[in-house]
Amino acid sequence: MATLRDEWRPAADAMASARHWERRAYVLLSLALDAARRLDWLSSWLRARPGDGDARAVQCAVETLHGTG
């Protein structure tokens, strides 16, 4: 998976392409679980696109799942 190689663009593309809420929730939770194991790609995404709501949603999901934030 690209996120394991610290690549945030595939994650951004997956979130952008998820139009239906069920798919979006699935992608969001999958990315949050990946990010919890390795935060480098999410940090890179947040730095590259500080106003990106999808990146922030993944960050919030990570914080919610793991009680941080």
Side-chain angles (χ1 to χ4, degrees), residues 2-3 6-16 31 41 44-45 48-49:
T3 56
D6 298 334
E7 298 174 18
W8 60 267
R9 283 181 180 84
D13 292 344
M15 285 294 291
L31 292 173
W41 66 267
S44 296
W45 186 5
R49 295 185 180 169

Side-chain angles (χ1 to χ4, degrees), residues 6-36:
D6 298 334
E7 298 174 18
W8 60 267
R9 283 181 180 84
D13 292 344
M15 285 294 291
S17 69
R19 305 252 185 246
H20 299 289
W21 70 267
E22 297 98 341
R23 176 71 180 155
R24 192 166 176 77
Y26 174 79
V27 171
L28 176 66
L29 289 175
S30 296
L31 292 173
L33 290 172
D34 282 346

